[in-house]
Amino acid sequence: MRRTLILLIILLITEYSLFAQTTTVEPTTSNSAPPNSNVSPQTQPVPEPKPTPPLWSDGFSAGALVRIRPEMKYNFDFNRNTNDNVDFTGQKIQFWIQKEFTKDVIAKITFQDSRLWGAEKGSLTGTANANDGTRQSTDVREAYVEIKNNFSFPLHVQAGRQILRYGDERLVGSLDWTNVGRSFDGLRFKWEDKFFSSHLFVTSVSERHSDIAGNTTNFGIKSQYNTYLDCPYNGTKLCTAKIDAQRQELGDSYFTGFYNTLKPSDYLHIDLYYLGLQKEYLRTNNSLVLTTGEVGNPNTRAGRWDILHTYGIRVTNKTQAGKKAIQAIDYSLEYATQTGTTGRNITPKWDTFQTNVSLVDPLTNTTYQQNLYREKERYKTFAFGADIGYTISKVRMGVAYDVGSGDPNRTDGSIASFQNLFHTNHFFYGMADQVSWVNMKSKSINISYASESFGTFRIDYFAIEKHKLQDSWYDLVGVAKSGASTESISNNQYNTSQVLTENGAGNNRPVSLLGRSLFREVDVKYNLPYKNIMIEGGYSMIFAGDAIQNKVNDRTVNANVYSNQFSKTAQFAYLMVTAQF
């Protein structure tokens, strides 16, 4: 009985425990309250914040530049009997805006105004204070869109008007030293990573066609024609008489490039590149009948393409910002060679008998002589540049050697004068900008001192001579300064007599009478930064050599045998103030 009672009590306790677990009321949470209760919950739910709409100013940046530079040039023709002294003040103003739509999509526009002081016409209601015939350059320096990291690779695409800078800018540069500078219109693909950089670009240098509104580059050399007939070549329309017309000779032109940089370490970068310049010459005829589509005189390049290929390599350890080197010794070595055809078909050099035939122009019914044999005129040029320096504390001492090939005979089928393309040469061959990387040898030494508080001071000495005595002296943009130095256009190397005629021997004097030295130049430059302003001043003295002296005092002209027009020294000076903000 007692055992039965104990079992019954245990059973009742177990049943009660199960009943309590199934009927227990859950405690009230902080987010709930009984109906009609005046007790507020302990916490309220926090709503998620609404996203803030992007502002138009997000990713937007802007900046400006103002540069003022007075310049003085004295006796640049080295002739005491002429007054060629020049002084002016140039001014450049830039304003740029950039919008970063995303981290990979950027657009930029740079507006630029370039002018000379006193070269702007006054207001219509006021007094003109300058020459009304001058033109100012207010334009768009940059206007492009860049899309980065395409297809999840470091592949960037840049389209529009842009500035190209490669290597030391000896062949492709911004030319920012000048008052206008240089930009290119085109498309560029860029692959950028830590050990390799590759750029492929296609740009349009000139466009001969116009759009519906007549907007055109109107680029190229123009030939002047008097009264002539413009006749459609297919004969479907009547000829139209036109008077005193200027016809453009240079048509579409393109500049392309494939520039690669190997970056194995911070102590060595290697550039390998190809640059191509293609220029189309329009079909023209100097006769009284100008036929649209006519092939032109076979002796000219009319209707043909001038195609120049440039291949080069550059090796340097200037891998840091500002083209600085980590090591005490810095160097930059560059070599380039050029091939291609000019578009001209000329009489071959080997045809000493001048085998000519008579042909008739079907348009003018006139007879002209044409050589029976023809050969293409080709480019065969080279250039080399070396710049080596050693830095001790804040002092750098450097030496440089540059050579651009010249042409000993400009009447044969080979163009041996190096073509300097779209360079920025102001830093390499003298501050006075008296020579290009064409038919020249330049040997120079320099020393500079750089401090944080007192700016940078630099002195350069240049000794520049011709690579080929027979070739011309070429100016900053690579144009021959015919008549400024002794020349022999057809390599008159075997004639030793001094020709005394009314006009002298001109540009075909004997090689024995040609000079080699162009000039010596001493440059002194100092720049001082102050907040957002850079103050820079420079002074150059140029001493002409025998290649210039023998031309100015031309002994091949009877009237000048006893005269002395030559003045040996030229000078250049400037003071430049640049503000950026």
Side-chain angles (χ1 to χ4, degrees):
M1 182 69 180
R2 181 182 299 175
R3 184 178 300 174
T4 303
L5 182 60
I6 293 172
L7 290 176
L8 181 59
I9 294 171
I10 294 173
L11 181 61
L12 290 174
I13 294 172
T14 303
E15 289 290 332
Y16 178 80
S17 299
L18 293 175
F19 176 80
Q21 290 180 3
T22 56
T23 59
T24 301
V25 179
E26 295 183 2
T28 304
T29 63
S30 59
N31 293 330
S32 62
N36 302 323
S37 174
N38 294 326
V39 180
S40 60
Q42 296 180 356
T43 59
Q44 295 292 335
V46 179
E48 295 183 0
K50 296 181 179 179
T52 304
L55 300 176
W56 69 272
S57 58
D58 291 345
F60 177 85
S61 57
L65 175 146
V66 177
R67 192 183 77 182
I68 300 171
R69 186 174 70 218
E71 298 183 37
M72 182 275 289
K73 301 177 181 180
Y74 170 75
N75 193 37
F76 271 30
D77 66 353
F78 302 98
N79 192 327
R80 69 174 76 252
N81 294 339
T82 61
N83 183 9
D84 65 330
N85 300 339
V86 175
D87 61 88
F88 60 89
T89 299
Q91 177 176 297
K92 176 190 291 187
I93 301 173
Q94 289 182 351
F95 173 73
W96 60 267
I97 54 175
Q98 179 173 299
K99 173 66 174 178
E100 184 176 333
F101 298 97
T102 67
K103 66 176 183 178
D104 292 332
V105 180
I106 298 173
K108 182 179 181 181
I109 301 177
T110 301
F111 301 96
Q112 176 174 286
D113 179 84
S114 300
R115 64 185 60 247
L116 299 182
W117 284 11
E120 172 98 16
K121 182 179 178 181
S123 65
L124 296 177
T125 57
T127 302
N129 59 3
N131 185 354
D132 293 352
T134 59
R135 293 188 303 171
Q136 308 305 319
S137 176
T138 302
D139 203 351
V140 176
R141 179 75 188 279
E142 293 178 287
Y144 65 82
V145 175
E146 183 172 9
I147 304 175
K148 300 181 178 181
N149 301 314
N150 292 275
F151 309 109
S152 300
F153 292 107
L155 175 62
H156 317 315
V157 181
Q158 187 174 354
R161 174 162 294 186
Q162 51 196 284
I163 296 174
L164 302 182
R165 298 184 182 95
Y166 288 108
D168 292 323
E169 301 188 39
R170 292 178 184 266
L171 293 174
V172 185
S174 61
L175 203 63
D176 278 328
W177 165 259
T178 65
N179 218 34
V180 177
R182 181 187 293 119
S183 302
F184 295 88
D185 298 324
L187 180 66
R188 178 163 49 160
F189 298 91
K190 301 185 290 186
W191 180 282
E192 300 283 356
D193 62 30
K194 183 178 180 181
F195 299 105
F196 179 66
S197 170
S198 181
H199 288 199
L200 176 66
F201 62 84
V202 179
T203 66
S204 177
V205 178
S206 68
E207 172 58 59
R208 66 168 170 162
H209 298 111
S210 61
D211 61 12
I212 192 172
N215 185 13
T216 178
T217 62
N218 200 27
F219 187 81
I221 303 171
K222 293 181 179 180
S223 293
Q224 187 75 29
Y225 300 92
N226 294 321
T227 304
Y228 71 99
L229 294 177
D230 186 2
C231 305
Y233 72 95
N234 55 10
T236 57
K237 296 182 180 179
L238 297 176
C239 297
T240 305
K242 296 185 177 180
I243 301 175
D244 192 25
Q246 284 188 339
R247 185 171 177 83
Q248 196 171 303
E249 289 185 357
L250 188 59
D252 297 341
S253 299
Y254 304 98
F255 182 52
T256 60
F258 185 40
Y259 203 98
N260 306 281
T261 301
L262 307 176
K263 299 176 283 188
S265 74
D266 289 338
Y267 299 96
L268 176 65
H269 282 188
I270 302 173
D271 295 348
L272 300 170
Y273 59 84
Y274 162 79
L275 304 171
L277 181 60
Q278 302 85 27
K279 297 183 290 186
E280 180 189 14
Y281 282 83
L282 302 182
R283 296 164 177 168
T284 59
N285 190 334
N286 287 316
S287 65
L288 293 178
V289 180
L290 180 63
T291 302
T292 304
E294 195 266 327
V295 296
N297 190 321
N299 292 319
T300 71
R301 71 178 89 189
R304 303 188 181 98
W305 283 85
D306 182 329
I307 301 177
L308 176 66
H309 306 290
T310 302
Y311 306 89
I313 180 173
R314 173 176 171 266
V315 180
T316 184
N317 70 340
K318 300 178 182 181
T319 63
Q320 304 304 299
K323 291 186 171 63
K324 303 292 184 180
I326 298 176
Q327 300 165 300
I329 297 178
D330 62 82
Y331 63 87
S332 179
L333 310 174
E334 185 166 356
Y335 177 82
T337 183
Q338 294 175 328
T339 63
T341 58
T342 68
R344 288 191 179 97
N345 291 330
I346 65 171
T347 301
K349 185 178 181 181
W350 54 263
D351 186 14
T352 57
F353 296 102
Q354 298 291 310
T355 310
N356 294 333
V357 294
S358 297
L359 300 176
V360 177
D361 186 341
L363 297 175
T364 62
N365 201 30
T366 58
T367 302
Y368 63 93
Q369 295 293 314
Q370 173 64 51
N371 192 272
L372 186 62
Y373 307 104
R374 313 297 294 168
E375 71 174 349
K376 291 183 177 181
E377 190 176 49
R378 299 182 180 277
Y379 291 106
K380 296 179 181 179
T381 80
F382 74 92
F384 173 76
D387 181 13
I388 302 174
Y390 181 71
T391 302
I392 304 176
S393 183
K394 299 178 181 180
V395 178
R396 180 187 183 273
M397 297 168 288
V399 296
Y401 176 76
D402 300 281
V403 55
S405 64
D407 196 339
N409 188 351
R410 285 169 282 167
T411 63
D412 62 8
S414 175
I415 299 294
S417 301
F418 188 74
Q419 309 298 301
N420 207 183
L421 297 179
F422 305 100
H423 59 80
T424 302
N425 278 341
H426 179 72
F427 309 103
F428 302 111
Y429 321 124
M431 196 165 57
D433 293 326
Q434 287 295 288
V435 70
S436 187
W437 207 15
V438 186
N439 189 37
M440 56 84 80
K441 289 182 180 179
S442 173
K443 305 169 187 176
S444 66
I445 59 174
N446 60 79
I447 184 170
S448 60
Y449 173 80
S451 67
E452 297 179 359
S453 302
F454 301 101
T456 302
F457 181 79
R458 175 167 174 152
I459 300 178
D460 290 80
Y461 172 78
F462 295 87
I464 297 180
E465 60 186 32
K466 288 188 174 184
H467 177 248
K468 296 296 182 182
L469 278 61
Q470 302 92 323
D471 204 352
S472 185
W473 170 18
Y474 292 82
D475 65 11
L476 174 66
V477 295
V479 177
K481 301 176 66 170
S482 299
S485 65
T486 55
E487 302 177 34
S488 176
I489 193 170
S490 62
N491 196 17
N492 189 10
Q493 56 183 329
Y494 301 111
N495 191 346
T496 59
S497 62
Q498 181 169 328
V499 182
L500 298 178
T501 63
E502 181 180 357
N503 295 323
N507 294 332
N508 198 27
R509 67 193 66 221
V511 175
S512 60
L513 300 180
L514 301 179
R516 178 178 299 277
S517 173
L518 283 173
F519 56 87
R520 306 289 188 266
E521 181 174 331
V522 178
D523 295 340
V524 179
K525 182 173 70 172
Y526 175 70
N527 61 58
L528 176 65
Y530 177 73
K531 296 183 178 180
N532 293 335
I533 297 177
M534 175 67 73
I535 302 172
E536 180 178 314
Y539 176 74
S540 302
M541 290 195 69
I542 307 104
F543 306 95
D546 58 348
I548 299 175
Q549 179 177 1
N550 293 346
K551 181 61 176 133
V552 177
N553 288 341
D554 197 341
R555 303 308 186 194
T556 65
V557 180
N558 260 327
N560 293 339
V561 169
Y562 302 106
S563 67
N564 185 14
Q565 305 176 83
F566 177 66
S567 178
K568 186 174 184 178
T569 305
Q571 301 177 66
F572 168 71
Y574 73 93
L575 177 63
M576 184 167 64
V577 178
T578 306
Q580 298 189 64
F581 48 90

